[in-house]
Amino acid sequence: MMKVLRSVPVLLLLILCVANMAFSCVGKSIEIGTTGSVQQEVLANIIAELIGERTGTTVKVVSFKSSTEAHAALLKADIDMYVEYTGVGQTVILQAQPLADAAELYKAVKERYNQELNLIWLKPFGFDAAQSLGVTLPAEAAPVVRKDTLKKFPALARLINKLGGKIDQQTISSLEKEASNGQSKQVAHGFLKNNRLI
Amino acid sequence: MRPLLSLLALLLLASCVSLQISEVSDLVISDQQVWQGEVRINGVVRVTRKGSLTLLPGTRLVFSKFDRDGDGIGDAELFVEGEFVARGTADRPILLTSGAANPQPGDWKFLYLDYARKAEIEYLISEYAYSGIQVHFCRAQIRSSEFRYNVDGVRFSTANISLKESYLHHNRHGIRYEERGGRGVVQRNRISDNQIGIFAVTRGAGRTLFELNDIIDNEPYQVKMGQQQAAALDFPRNWWGNVSGLSAETVFDQRRDWSLGRVTATDPLDRPINATRPTEGD
């Protein structure tokens, strides 16, 4: 029980006001989308752990059923980023013709996403996503981030780009295998620790 | 006339004492209030710039666990822009805790001092919060207190903080700070068994003095620099758990990322300070 005491000599004034005030949150938080596969879960958690560990920012991983859903959420600012594949970006999102050369494909989607959607493709992780996904469409996987998120967190691009080229074919296969039991967060943490990134 | 006034005063006093509140929702305090006993907080308590809240020894603030914004962090909090005085005693510490049956770090948000006019804290325990305490843009004196089982034990930014003789343990970050031109003194504390003992997030320039502390058994890192901490930082005259001082393996700095500054720990102590554990148990 609480007793409220007042030192004011004569009048006792107790003011209890109900106010639906939402004060500033704990800090700025970031939400990362995934599209359900083990590979997506691992990559999203690698980014989440890296950001959380290096900046102290709260990061939440949110699941979607497809790239299309995640992309829609990204456009609406429901999330800040997700990992996309250049081939999907080119043919599904942008409805453009496939390109055979991986570097040209990356350059093409990066440019159009930036100009038309205000979204930024960061550096690809380094593995051949087409091969890893067992599809024929030439593709790389890379984080796609809202431009306003990068403005809010100026150090974010440089931080996430530390992952650029760090995950080759063998590494992603190994990480997926490790994470197949649902331990994506722990696997991601271990990867970052082993690579001295956290 | 005089007996009548005395009787009236007595009645008034009696009525004050009998006004008992055990539970509050969202509450704005713009006057001077003194609390004691146990209060369950089911919302946001805000002490405005004009307001003052004093917690007497033995006061227990129990924050309900609820998550309005769905960010996974509890939203009950105590937010102070005015005066906050919480002076417990060794025998009767003030407790800020979670109301959950199975309490976890982050059940409630924080005790947050933002441009507070006055902040004096002694013998206070803060546990199971996102941040046991956050101090921003103001002075705060914290002594003989305990911050445990939080995400951040003590967190401050752009503040003039004095943190002494306190015990910070079993948090994710014992101390998390962004100096940003502020000054601080962190002395004679025990900072142990956190995942990160001291997390220097950014903009540290050595204006916060960490000395004469026992900083031990924080794993994986005793000291960690955040992504934008480019300047070197020294943590002189502390006990790091062994006579050889701060081990490089327990530091995240330039040796792991060239863009960061370097952590040094000059003149390490060769024995513990035995910084007090002021409020163990509750």
Side-chain angles (χ1 to χ4, degrees):
Chain A
M1 298 294 285
M2 184 199 84
K3 296 168 184 174
V4 180
L5 306 175
R6 293 294 311 274
S7 57
V8 183
V10 182
L11 292 176
L12 174 72
L13 184 61
L14 181 69
I15 302 173
L16 298 176
C17 304
V18 175
N20 292 314
M21 299 189 71
F23 292 108
S24 57
C25 58
V26 168
K28 298 167 186 170
S29 62
I30 288 176
E31 297 205 2
I32 303 177
T34 77
T35 58
S37 68
V38 174
Q39 183 179 105
Q40 280 274 325
E41 291 290 325
V42 170
L43 294 172
N45 276 288
I46 285 175
I47 299 170
E49 286 288 301
L50 180 68
I51 296 170
E53 289 284 339
R54 295 295 295 275
T55 70
T57 303
T58 305
V59 186
K60 193 174 176 182
V61 175
V62 184
S63 290
F64 295 92
K65 289 177 185 166
S66 66
S67 272
T68 312
E69 270 192 17
H71 178 72
L74 189 63
L75 288 179
K76 286 193 296 179
D78 287 345
I79 57 174
D80 295 288
M81 71 185 81
Y82 76 102
V83 173
E84 184 55 283
Y85 304 97
T86 51
V88 175
Q90 174 78 348
T91 61
V92 178
I93 305 295
L94 297 174
Q95 299 282 306
Q97 292 299 310
L99 294 171
D101 183 84
E104 271 187 33
L105 176 59
Y106 176 74
K107 189 180 169 191
V109 294
K110 184 177 174 67
E111 195 169 309
R112 283 193 62 191
Y113 266 64
N114 184 7
Q115 288 178 356
E116 299 171 23
L117 304 172
N118 274 331
L119 301 175
I120 302 296
W121 282 75
L122 299 180
K123 286 184 183 174
F125 292 105
F127 62 90
D128 181 340
Q131 189 181 330
S132 75
L133 295 171
V135 296
T136 53
L137 192 65
E140 293 182 286
V144 180
V145 190
R146 287 182 60 82
K147 208 182 276 185
D148 58 3
T149 298
L150 295 178
K151 285 179 185 167
K152 268 193 294 185
F153 299 88
L156 201 58
R158 186 162 60 103
L159 177 61
I160 298 173
N161 276 336
K162 287 179 187 294
L163 298 169
K166 285 286 197 308
I167 304 175
D168 61 15
Q169 208 67 46
Q170 192 179 345
T171 306
I172 191 67
S173 300
S174 167
L175 291 171
E176 285 183 67
K177 193 174 173 184
E178 282 181 60
S180 57
N181 59 0
Q183 301 290 309
S184 300
K185 187 177 165 72
Q186 290 83 345
V187 171
H189 191 88
F191 166 79
L192 293 168
K193 196 92 172 79
N194 293 338
N195 284 275
R196 299 173 67 87
L197 287 163
I198 59 173
Chain B
M1 187 66 182
R2 194 165 179 167
L4 186 62
L5 281 173
S6 298
L7 180 62
L8 187 60
L10 197 64
L11 284 171
L12 274 169
L13 182 64
S15 67
C16 289
V17 173
S18 68
L19 279 172
Q20 296 179 338
I21 298 171
S22 61
E23 195 161 334
V24 296
S25 299
D26 291 335
L27 172 67
V28 176
I29 297 174
S30 297
D31 59 352
Q32 282 75 52
Q33 294 203 9
V34 180
W35 290 7
Q36 65 177 343
E38 179 168 315
V39 186
R40 179 171 284 266
I41 296 176
N42 298 322
V44 174
V45 174
R46 178 185 170 213
V47 181
T48 68
R49 186 90 183 138
K50 292 179 181 172
S52 169
L53 177 62
T54 298
L55 304 181
L56 298 183
T59 302
R60 295 166 59 93
L61 303 188
V62 181
F63 293 82
S64 296
K65 182 179 181 179
F66 64 92
D67 184 6
R68 283 175 179 162
D69 55 12
D71 65 357
I73 299 166
D75 286 325
E77 66 179 69
L78 174 52
F79 187 96
V80 179
E81 296 168 301
E83 288 189 8
F84 180 71
V85 177
R87 288 208 185 93
T89 63
D91 292 342
R92 302 189 67 208
I94 291 162
L95 178 66
L96 279 59
T97 191
S98 164
N102 178 25
Q104 300 291 325
D107 277 355
W108 58 285
K109 195 167 280 181
F110 41 46
L111 163 57
Y112 194 108
L113 309 176
D114 188 41
Y115 290 100
R117 285 190 291 116
K118 180 178 178 182
E120 294 178 1
I121 293 168
E122 283 184 27
Y123 292 102
L124 174 143
I125 301 170
S126 186
E127 62 183 14
Y128 300 113
Y130 185 86
S131 302
I133 186 169
Q134 287 202 22
V135 183
H136 301 274
F137 305 106
C138 59
R139 290 174 182 270
Q141 292 184 18
I142 305 167
R143 182 185 285 273
S144 303
S145 293
E146 184 169 353
F147 300 90
R148 63 191 186 193
Y149 315 127
N150 305 290
V151 177
D152 305 320
V154 174
R155 176 169 166 176
F156 58 93
S157 172
T158 326
N160 186 335
I161 191 170
S162 169
L163 173 63
K164 296 183 178 178
E165 295 160 11
S166 294
Y167 184 24
L168 292 73
H169 65 101
H170 295 95
N171 305 285
R172 180 171 172 77
H173 308 117
I175 294 178
R176 169 182 166 157
Y177 76 107
E178 301 182 17
E179 199 171 82
R180 297 179 183 276
R183 287 187 183 276
V185 177
V186 179
Q187 285 178 328
R188 295 189 176 277
N189 302 285
R190 180 182 172 91
I191 304 168
S192 71
D193 301 290
N194 304 285
Q195 290 180 39
I196 313 291
I198 300 168
F199 186 21
V201 181
T202 187
R203 305 279 294 275
R207 293 158 62 98
T208 304
L209 175 64
F210 293 80
E211 68 167 3
L212 305 176
N213 300 287
D214 291 340
I215 305 172
I216 59 173
D217 297 331
N218 298 290
E219 294 182 356
Y221 298 115
Q222 299 265 49
V223 181
K224 182 176 178 177
M225 286 183 160
Q227 171 64 11
Q228 293 177 287
Q229 178 55 45
L233 294 175
D234 189 28
F235 297 85
R237 298 175 293 282
N238 293 289
W239 166 246
W240 299 97
N242 63 69
V243 291
S244 55
L246 178 60
S247 159
E249 284 304 302
T250 63
V251 176
F252 194 101
D253 68 351
Q254 195 175 69
R255 286 162 280 199
R256 291 175 186 265
D257 183 337
W258 62 268
S259 68
L260 302 179
R262 196 174 178 94
V263 169
T264 52
T266 54
D267 303 325
L269 302 181
D270 60 3
R271 69 193 65 150
I273 289 288
N274 285 320
T276 54
R277 299 183 181 195
T279 55
E280 279 191 291
D282 52 346

